[in-house]
Amino acid sequence: MACLLDAAEKAGFEIVGAPEVSPGDTAVQVWLKDPELLERTHAEQFLRNPRTFESFATAAAPVPEVHDPVAAAAKMKADLDDYFEKKKRGRNTKVFAYVRPDGIWFLVRHGDPFKREGAIDERGESVGVYYWPEKFDVLALDPTEGELRINARNKGEKKAYRKVFGRHLYGDDGFFGGEDKYTLEPLREKGEDALTPVEGIEQVVLVEVDFYRGGSFHEREIRKADDVFGAYRARNKQFPAKAPITKACFRVTFSDSETPRTVTIKPPNVAQYTRDADSVIVEKWLKARGFIAKKGKALRDAAVRAVLAGT
């Protein structure tokens, strides 16, 4: 209701009625004035739900200027309809674009696979109800870095989004080519210094780190503790010098909260947050401490992972 009231005020019309006007009354009045505004405001609430993003950067340097995101969003519908129809999810795609201080965010509404459910009609008879369940995917573009972060369910959808968004935002289907973003090598190279906070963060503690040991059994080692570096010190052990690091979990205390939240990084492209709003501050910390790989190093790390995948 608060979002609808703000949207109505920005659109230049007032919600009328007694002071005790209900959320339903508010929604109806907005719908009568501007149905599209109601739909966009409702859809925007889903931007707050995602917790996991996979990042895809461009190799282009310098990064070209992005095309008009609102106009591009409207043009994406036909291409995405073709994809989702092929996947038996109907041609009901809609793309909403939101220009925000931290980048350009897109919400894609599409259908899930067609569903049949049993229901009881007004006569008490059993009937079938047929529909496409509603699904929302979230994408965030950093136009400065040419990076697209995607929250979607499967690889096929992510691949389609990279192609369609590259086509309409930059005129290049292969623009988001999948440059690796994250590296966890600073944990080995800098030790606890890699956990030094930035503005907006009070403390960062490493609570889990996963290593790939390899061998004929593809061994993996997982180290968990309230403080992994502290546990190594207490046992007079050194942080492993060679085994590739495949995952790290951090307990992060933010300046605006006394309760720590967990951030998980899985190279090459995955970041998981307890709260999606944490991403802006966490990305600043990751970049400042070297966890966001430079392109040359990212390519070397990708080559190592390719060798591991073939063992």
Side-chain angles (χ1 to χ4, degrees):
M1 180 178 180
C3 293
L4 283 175
L5 291 171
D6 290 341
E9 182 177 358
K10 291 178 182 177
F13 61 86
E14 182 181 358
I15 303 299
V16 298
E20 59 270 16
V21 62
S22 73
D25 296 331
T26 304
V28 169
Q29 289 192 48
V30 174
W31 178 75
L32 290 171
K33 290 281 189 179
D34 188 343
E36 177 68 19
L37 180 62
L38 177 65
E39 186 176 18
R40 281 183 57 82
T41 306
H42 172 259
E44 189 173 6
Q45 309 312 303
F46 289 90
L47 290 177
R48 304 177 183 181
N49 293 335
R51 300 290 184 267
T52 303
F53 286 93
E54 189 166 354
S55 299
F56 300 94
T58 182
V63 177
E65 186 175 350
V66 64
H67 296 174
D68 181 353
V70 177
K75 295 176 182 178
M76 292 176 190
K77 174 178 170 55
D79 292 335
L80 292 174
D81 274 349
D82 289 343
Y83 170 78
F84 285 113
E85 183 179 44
K86 184 178 179 181
K87 298 300 180 181
K88 312 303 181 188
R89 299 181 188 183
R91 298 184 63 84
N92 301 293
T93 310
K94 193 157 189 177
V95 183
F96 302 90
Y98 303 89
V99 180
R100 307 196 329 185
D102 57 341
I104 304 169
W105 288 66
F106 298 88
L107 189 72
V108 181
R109 188 208 69 188
H110 62 83
D112 255 2
F114 202 63
K115 195 170 185 179
R116 178 192 181 279
E117 287 189 350
I120 300 175
D121 66 14
E122 64 277 4
R123 298 172 299 175
E125 300 293 332
S126 294
V127 296
V129 178
Y130 304 86
Y131 63 98
W132 277 288
E134 189 177 48
K135 176 73 167 60
F136 289 91
D137 294 328
V138 177
L139 300 91
L141 173 70
D142 182 339
T144 303
E145 299 293 333
E147 174 188 302
L148 186 67
R149 296 189 296 133
I150 303 176
N151 174 271
R153 185 163 41 202
N154 57 55
K155 291 182 179 180
E157 291 177 357
K158 293 171 187 175
K159 183 177 180 180
Y161 286 141
R162 289 163 60 189
K163 180 178 179 179
V164 172
F165 275 68
R167 175 184 305 163
H168 291 284
L169 292 174
Y170 293 98
D172 180 1
D173 286 14
F175 185 81
F176 299 108
E179 286 285 327
D180 293 356
K181 179 176 182 179
Y182 299 114
T183 175
L184 293 171
E185 284 304 305
L187 295 174
R188 194 181 342 256
E189 297 167 355
K190 303 177 182 179
E192 288 185 271
D193 288 342
L195 307 183
T196 304
V198 297
E199 184 178 358
I201 296 177
E202 296 298 321
Q203 184 185 46
V204 181
V205 180
L206 180 66
V207 294
E208 179 183 338
V209 59
D210 298 6
F211 301 97
Y212 182 80
R213 294 293 185 180
S216 58
F217 295 101
H218 302 142
E219 181 184 359
R220 288 169 170 78
E221 177 185 342
I222 300 174
R223 307 290 300 179
K224 289 185 177 183
D226 291 340
D227 180 343
V228 171
F229 281 116
Y232 276 122
R233 282 197 311 273
R235 300 174 64 238
N236 293 318
K237 297 289 186 180
Q238 297 295 318
F239 196 91
K242 295 182 179 181
I245 309 171
T246 59
K247 173 182 172 183
C249 297
F250 305 92
R251 186 176 68 245
V252 182
T253 303
F254 294 87
S255 302
D256 64 353
S257 174
E258 295 182 357
T259 303
R261 298 191 287 271
T262 301
V263 174
T264 301
I265 302 298
K266 295 190 287 186
N269 301 93
V270 177
Q272 296 175 322
Y273 307 98
T274 304
R275 193 177 71 179
D276 63 293
D278 295 341
S279 63
V280 176
I281 298 175
V282 172
E283 290 283 311
K284 290 180 181 178
W285 169 69
L286 292 170
K287 188 171 185 178
R289 301 296 167 247
F291 292 102
I292 294 181
K294 295 180 180 179
K295 290 184 179 179
K297 183 172 179 56
L299 292 173
R300 292 196 297 273
D301 290 348
V304 171
R305 280 191 295 277
V307 171
L308 293 175
T311 58

